[in-house]
Amino acid sequence: KREQKAWRADSVVKCAERLEAARRDHVDKVAKDRLYDEMGRRQRALHACVDKLRAEREVRDQKLAVARELRDALQAEQEAERQAIEREAQRRAKDAILQYRAEQFRAEAERKLVEAAARKERERVQREQAKKGAERARYREGVREAQRSEKEQALERLAKADEARAIALEALARTVPYFEAISTIESDVTKTTAAVEAQRADQRTAADKTGYTTGLTDERVF
């Protein structure tokens, strides 16, 4: 009986240990199941959050892509507009240059036409003036020739008159009694003339000696 009691006690202890172990295993299993459930829930929540974040990121990426496309489109539109403005400005500048060159060419052509017309007019005026000048020259030459002829005729008449006067004077002189004495007289360089005698200091008047007279006078100064 003692052995039976010991066996029973040992069996009870073993059963208690087994029950405790089973309880512990059950508790551990329940704790593990709860832990696994919590971990699964958290993992599902994490996956859901990751999926949400992935979806949000995809949406954000899509929005960024759309914004990038819009930005690229806006930049392309602005670049196209800028190029169009530049092309328009270049076209206007080219048109302005062409118009300026055309105006210069037109002004140069008009200037050349005006210069040609003015040159032709000057040539015509010069021809007319040359023609008139030639006529005037011929007229002046005729006038000078007539004046020269008249002058020569007047000189000839004067010469003839002088010759006739000289002949008359010579004929008159031959009638003077002392003509022969005057014609044959010889000059004496040692003798003085009446003019030289009048210039002597002792023969001059008081006015001659002073060299001037006061006021108007009939007295001889020299």
Side-chain angles (χ1 to χ4, degrees):
K1 290 180 178 179
R2 190 180 294 136
E3 291 178 356
Q4 289 180 351
K5 287 180 180 180
W7 179 80
R8 288 177 180 175
D10 188 29
S11 297
V12 170
V13 170
K14 289 181 179 179
C15 287
E17 291 178 354
R18 288 177 181 174
L19 289 174
E20 184 64 23
R23 189 183 64 77
R24 285 198 303 270
D25 292 339
H26 178 70
V27 171
D28 292 338
K29 184 177 180 300
V30 171
K32 287 180 180 180
D33 291 339
R34 289 179 179 176
L35 180 61
Y36 289 155
D37 291 339
E38 182 66 21
M39 291 176 63
R41 186 184 65 78
R42 290 183 179 181
Q43 188 175 8
R44 288 192 298 275
L46 181 61
H47 285 304
C49 183
V50 170
D51 293 337
K52 182 179 180 181
L53 291 174
R54 186 179 293 112
E56 290 179 353
R57 186 180 66 183
E58 290 178 355
V59 172
R60 185 172 63 254
D61 292 340
Q62 291 177 358
K63 289 182 178 180
L64 289 175
V66 171
R68 192 179 298 109
E69 290 177 357
L70 291 175
R71 185 190 62 191
D72 295 339
L74 180 60
Q75 289 179 355
E77 183 179 359
Q78 290 177 352
E79 182 66 20
E81 184 177 0
R82 185 184 63 80
Q83 292 179 358
I85 292 172
E86 288 182 355
R87 287 193 296 271
E88 181 66 19
Q90 292 176 357
R91 186 186 64 80
R92 290 182 180 178
K94 186 176 180 180
D95 293 341
I97 292 171
L98 292 176
Q99 184 178 2
Y100 175 72
R101 289 180 178 176
E103 290 178 356
Q104 279 189 335
F105 180 77
R106 189 182 303 109
E108 184 68 17
E110 291 178 356
R111 185 183 63 80
K112 288 182 179 179
L113 289 174
V114 171
E115 288 181 354
R119 185 171 59 254
K120 289 181 179 179
E121 182 66 19
R122 286 195 302 270
E123 290 176 355
R124 185 186 63 80
V125 172
Q126 287 176 358
R127 286 194 299 271
E128 292 181 356
Q129 289 179 352
K131 185 177 179 181
K132 293 179 180 179
E135 293 176 356
R136 287 196 297 270
R138 287 194 296 272
Y139 172 75
R140 288 195 297 270
E141 185 64 25
V143 171
R144 284 195 295 270
E145 186 66 26
Q147 291 177 353
R148 188 163 48 249
S149 178
E150 290 179 359
K151 187 181 294 183
E152 289 177 355
Q153 292 177 3
L155 290 175
E156 187 177 356
R157 289 194 299 269
L158 289 174
K160 289 181 178 180
D162 290 340
E163 185 179 359
R165 189 181 303 107
I167 293 172
L169 288 175
E170 186 177 358
L172 179 63
R174 290 182 183 279
T175 61
V176 177
Y178 47 86
F179 175 75
E180 292 294 336
I182 294 174
S183 300
T184 59
I185 193 171
E186 294 182 1
S187 61
D188 188 0
V189 296
T190 60
K191 292 183 177 180
T192 58
T193 61
V196 174
E197 291 294 334
Q199 292 297 325
R200 292 182 181 277
D202 54 352
Q203 298 293 333
R204 289 186 298 169
T205 63
D208 292 337
K209 293 178 181 179
T210 56
Y212 64 92
T213 57
T214 58
L216 298 176
T217 179
D218 293 334
E219 295 180 358
R220 187 181 66 173
V221 179
F222 297 105

